[in-house]
Amino acid sequence: CCSQCEICDGCQGCYAQTDTCNPNGNPAGNQIGGDSLGEPAFDLGCDTRYDFDLQETRPLAEPQVIYPSDILTTHCVYDSTSRTSVTVGGDATDDEMCIAFFLYYPVQPNAKCMTTNVQNDVGDGQHICQIKGQATVNDTLCTAPPPDNLSLASVGFGSLDGWLQIHIVCMILSMGLLIPIGVLVPMVFRDSLASNDAWFRYHRILQSLGVLILVIGAAVALANVSIHFMQVHHKLGVAMFVLVLLQPLNALVRPHKADESTDDENSSKPSTKRTIWEVVHKGLGRIIVIASWANIFLGVKLLKEWYSASGGLTKGLIGFQSLVIVVLVLVAAYKIFQTKKKSTTTARMEADKSSGEAA
């Protein structure tokens, strides 16, 4: 052993556990941490559940000594099957990248780690982690279900990041509650709140407060999430955010109600421009409400998948939003039924009155 140490870079002494001067392998060097260049001696770490938004360091179970003849290999598996466009390699957020960061000591002056022997399309992504000091774990691409005896940690609302807590509360309050109520008020309470246009004041207050809270919730999400168009929840959320901001601007250009051809400002016949505006404004408002409710449920699903939200949290959010939807739909249905019933009764009374006068 000692005679072989002369050909080993930096070798100091012999090691009883091997017949070479490198305890990690042979004098020519051995691979550590990958399988694209041959069988590895062992893995320094594995991360098949990598998420750009949930990056973390992996401390070693046991400190490892790296020798000059060792080879460190980073093995990356890419999966862009969910995308519809070409994914290029690079260091941008949406690019495919293969980078490993190692913390080591002591400092080595002028140390450089260059990528060499790059091999593409090697292997099928199947790999069993073999980390010193840890039990062997088959962590292959997350395709296999977790063992029955493996308990996955769940996270309650209080353990979520602060920005995510703010986002959840703001979205539930604005898109789940305030803005839908604001849409419902002119839809079914216009007659009962007709005095001094009270319905319009309530509509404006609810929508203004809802938009303000929405802006806060959207701002914290946009500032803390790097990928804004990866999931349906992201895309639909951005679309709803833009449409909600357009609604107040739409209200500012509302045409006069009276038909200009009648020269009568008190005319009950709306102008063509006003009719078109009301169809767009009201229709868009109702579409926003329905799409936002759907997006809240998509968000709860993502909360469980990405942030390991507990069952109690997800069920609570789903239960609350479902209750709000049921109550608002029942109120709307009841008021619409009452309005139609009143209209039918009024029409029948007028018909009877006309018949009596004719007689």
Side-chain angles (χ1 to χ4, degrees), residues 180-354:
I181 295 176
V183 171
L184 186 66
V185 167
M187 181 179 173
V188 298
F189 290 99
R190 185 187 292 261
D191 293 336
S192 56
L193 297 174
S195 177
N196 296 322
D197 289 334
W199 67 268
F200 181 73
R201 293 199 304 274
Y202 293 142
H203 171 70
R204 184 168 55 187
I205 292 172
L206 287 168
Q207 299 306 76
S208 299
L209 184 59
V211 170
L212 177 61
I213 296 175
L214 171 64
V215 169
I216 296 174
V220 296
L222 292 172
N224 289 276
V225 177
S226 302
I227 303 176
H228 304 306
F229 299 98
M230 183 176 180
Q231 298 289 329
V232 176
H233 175 72
H234 302 150
K235 299 174 184 178
L236 189 56
V238 172
M240 292 303 100
F241 178 68
V242 173
L243 291 178
V244 167
L245 294 183
L246 288 177
Q247 283 291 76
L249 299 178
N250 187 18
L252 292 177
V253 297
R254 180 180 59 180
H256 293 293
K257 186 174 182 179
D259 189 344
E260 297 177 356
S261 63
T262 62
D263 295 327
D264 183 4
E265 294 183 357
N266 296 320
S267 174
S268 60
K269 181 181 179 181
S271 65
T272 302
K273 292 181 179 179
R274 179 59 177 261
T275 300
I276 295 174
W277 178 89
E278 288 190 356
V279 170
V280 173
H281 187 71
K282 295 177 181 178
L284 193 57
R286 294 165 189 175
I287 290 174
I288 289 174
V289 169
I290 295 174
S292 298
W293 282 343
N295 206 35
I296 287 176
F297 291 119
L298 290 174
V300 174
K301 179 175 179 290
L302 203 60
L303 188 65
K304 183 175 181 61
E305 294 176 353
W306 281 28
Y307 302 98
S308 302
S310 65
L313 174 58
T314 55
K315 291 178 182 177
L317 293 173
I318 292 174
F320 175 79
Q321 190 58 59
S322 299
L323 178 63
V324 170
I325 293 173
V326 170
V327 170
L328 294 183
V329 169
L330 289 178
V331 170
Y334 173 76
K335 294 295 293 183
I336 291 174
F337 173 77
Q338 288 293 100
T339 301
K340 289 185 176 181
K341 182 179 179 181
K342 182 179 179 180
S343 299
T344 302
T345 302
T346 301
R348 185 179 298 130
M349 292 177 61
E350 291 180 351
D352 293 341
K353 182 179 179 181
S354 299

Side-chain angles (χ1 to χ4, degrees), residues 111-134:
K112 294 183 179 180
C113 184
M114 304 298 292
T115 301
T116 59
N117 298 326
V118 176
Q119 298 183 17
N120 297 321
D121 300 325
V122 176
D124 56 3
Q126 310 303 309
H127 182 67
I128 297 179
C129 267
Q130 303 178 61
I131 302 175
K132 286 186 176 182
Q134 294 183 358

Side-chain angles (χ1 to χ4, degrees), residues 17 30 47 49 70 75 84 87 95 137 147 155 169 222 268 275 278 286 291 331:
Q17 65 266 43
N30 203 349
D47 190 357
R49 291 176 172 82
D70 286 331
H75 182 205
T84 57
T87 301
D95 294 342
V137 178
V155 178
V169 172
L222 292 172
S268 60
T275 300
E278 288 190 356
R286 294 165 189 175
V331 170

